Amino acid sequence: MPRPQVDRGFARNVGSLLVSQVLRVPITAVYFVAATRVLGVESFGRLTAVAAVVMIAAPFSALGSGALIVKYGATEPETTHRWLGAGLTISALGAVVVGALLLVLSPVLIPQGTGVAILWGLVLADFIFARAADLASSVFVAREEMRVTAFCQVLLPALRLLAAAILLLTPSPVGLGTWVLALVLSSALSGAICLTLAVRAVGRPVLGLAPFRGHWREALLFSVGIGTQNAHNDVDKAMLGRLDGPAGAGVYGAAYRFIDTAWLPVRALFGAAWPRFFRYAREGNSSLIPFVRAIAGPALLYSLTATVGLIVLAGILVPLLGEAYAESVPLLRVLGVVVLLRCLYYLPADVLTGMGRQGLRTIIQLVVLATNVGLNLWLIPRFGVWGAAWSTLACEAALAMALWIALAVSVRHPVPQERRDV
């Protein structure tokens, strides 16, 4: 009898991740509102722009180790602790190398007048501490223990909100530097807790780079693929900070935060599906395609509903954030469709990765990213935040179309296992 494509275990995993995302929605929303209110448009814009640069660079410091933990933890469980150790090792080394490179390039990457201490604080928080939590979470994704994954995903924003609340209770004014320091400390605590859980589950990680032997090309493909995806999502914010100023980045970033929040439930669904993409792809299209169809319907239905909701409810931004963010309202009404477009390209992209076509996925993403950067260089100086918005919509639609074409070709002409990218 064939194995059910969406069984009770998968349903429980989706439920666990969905609960975590439901919990994250109010946590991240309150944290976001607090940040916009406390920091003001300009400082929030600086934080948004620098965070975008760090998010783009982060996958290159970890060299795709989270994805490798999921892949080999799902298919070769006995190697999980070694891949965890390798991920921690490469993340520490990468934080030094990539962090130093960002420091050198900071005069052209971050908004003028932003101290390098802000950049280093976010590098420390995201490259080291949040990365440790992410690697630990990947361990439980591979094991399909999504309840623990859900806990790790909620813990980081919850601790950051707690740190923000403590700051708000202090009588002294809260500046950008103090806000980033609180972010670093809360990220460190989250990383320590999640890593402890992972060690208890799979044993002490073996530090070193031995697991990467024979897998450097695979690791590089994952790193470039994830980095390109992050760049596709965040390059507009980073470029706005340089080309339009911190205020423009703040207004644009505020609208985008609502989009990211609306995306969380679909992220939960695809997160639960990811290890199964690898397993079903090994069994062939007869197992993979029915599974993809089973999850595509709910994902697309929710994304369409969320898009309509963002367009209709965009007016709540001003009461929540203040009059300084009034321009975010029409921006959100235009950018709301990003939730649907993101669903349309994430699904074929993840399926291509499961099928061993990470290289093809990465090439498509790089071409669209280059187009996005070019459009932003042309449109932002002329139209400001609206130039970034129209560039984003055009490139998201192009990416979705290209990935679906690539997936259709890959399904009709599958690549033998020994010739797959990953």
Side-chain angles (χ1 to χ4, degrees):
M1 182 177 179
R3 176 170 44 177
Q5 297 294 332
V6 180
D7 53 29
R8 291 182 180 179
F10 179 76
R12 283 196 298 269
N13 288 339
V14 173
S16 296
L17 291 182
L18 185 58
V19 168
S20 76
Q21 304 301 351
V22 168
L23 291 174
R24 286 184 65 182
V25 167
I27 292 172
T28 54
V30 173
Y31 181 83
F32 159 62
V33 171
T36 56
R37 290 280 189 173
V38 171
L39 297 177
V41 174
E42 183 168 330
S43 290
F44 179 72
R46 293 184 188 278
L47 180 64
T48 298
V50 177
V53 171
V54 171
M55 284 296 296
I56 292 170
F60 299 101
S61 70
L63 209 60
S65 49
L68 292 168
I69 289 173
V70 174
K71 178 180 179 179
Y72 290 106
T75 57
E76 302 171 14
E78 69 279 2
T79 67
T80 306
H81 69 293
R82 292 196 290 273
W83 278 109
L84 176 60
L88 293 170
T89 304
I90 199 70
S91 295
L93 295 173
V96 175
V97 175
V98 179
L101 182 61
L102 289 180
L103 180 62
V104 171
L105 297 176
S106 61
V108 297
L109 291 179
I110 65 177
Q112 294 180 352
T114 305
V116 293
I118 304 301
L119 174 61
W120 271 113
L122 291 179
V123 165
L124 187 62
D126 288 342
F127 284 19
I128 299 293
F129 300 136
R131 176 63 59 191
D134 181 65
L135 294 176
S137 178
S138 296
V139 167
F140 296 106
V141 171
R143 292 163 60 90
E144 294 202 46
E145 297 179 10
M146 299 304 181
R147 287 179 295 179
V148 187
T149 300
F151 172 78
C152 293
Q153 291 179 349
V154 172
L155 182 63
L156 179 59
L159 289 177
R160 287 181 174 179
L161 178 59
L162 177 61
I166 293 172
L167 284 181
L168 294 175
L169 293 176
T170 60
S172 55
V174 178
L176 182 56
T178 306
W179 191 272
V180 171
L181 177 60
L183 190 150
V184 171
L185 295 176
S186 56
S187 299
L189 181 57
S190 172
I193 293 172
C194 294
L195 196 56
T196 299
L197 294 174
V199 171
R200 288 181 177 179
V202 299
R204 181 175 297 178
V206 180
L207 298 178
L209 302 177
F212 282 98
R213 292 172 189 164
H215 296 282
W216 288 108
R217 179 175 179 272
E218 180 180 15
L220 184 61
L221 282 173
F222 273 128
S223 179
V224 173
I226 297 170
T228 304
Q229 185 64 64
N230 285 0
H232 180 76
N233 291 338
D234 292 316
V235 71
D236 46 1
K237 307 173 192 68
M239 295 182 73
L240 272 169
R242 286 294 302 178
L243 300 176
D244 194 50
V251 168
Y252 189 88
Y256 228 95
R257 281 299 183 101
F258 281 83
I259 294 166
D260 289 337
T261 300
W263 169 249
L264 291 176
V266 186
R267 180 179 174 182
L269 177 63
F270 290 170
W274 206 36
R276 297 201 176 199
F277 287 145
F278 291 112
R279 294 199 188 105
Y280 289 144
R282 284 196 172 190
E283 298 173 8
N285 291 342
S286 60
S287 294
L288 179 63
I289 300 305
F291 179 68
V292 173
R293 288 173 177 166
I295 66 173
L300 290 169
L301 178 60
Y302 167 81
S303 298
L304 179 60
T305 304
T307 294
V308 174
L310 288 172
I311 294 171
V312 172
L313 300 176
I316 66 172
L317 265 70
V318 172
L320 281 176
L321 309 182
E323 290 293 336
Y325 293 90
E327 194 176 356
S328 299
V329 174
L331 272 173
L332 182 57
R333 287 183 174 137
V334 170
L335 289 170
V337 74
V338 166
V339 177
L340 179 59
L341 292 173
R342 192 178 285 183
C343 178
L344 286 171
Y345 72 73
Y346 259 91
L347 181 58
D350 283 352
V351 176
L352 283 170
T353 297
M355 295 175 68
R357 303 306 306 271
Q358 178 67 32
L360 177 59
R361 169 183 176 170
T362 300
I363 290 171
I364 293 171
Q365 290 176 324
L366 283 171
V367 171
V368 176
L369 174 61
T371 304
N372 198 358
V373 171
L375 286 174
N376 279 320
L377 286 172
W378 175 45
L379 294 173
I380 291 176
R382 292 169 173 78
F383 305 106
V385 294
W386 288 103
W390 292 118
S391 174
T392 294
L393 293 180
C395 290
E396 298 258 339
L399 182 59
M401 185 181 303
L403 286 169
W404 276 110
I405 293 172
L407 179 59
V409 173
S410 298
V411 168
R412 293 194 178 202
H413 306 284
V415 177
Q417 183 72 34
E418 64 275 7
R419 291 177 54 198
R420 293 185 176 185
D421 299 322
V422 295

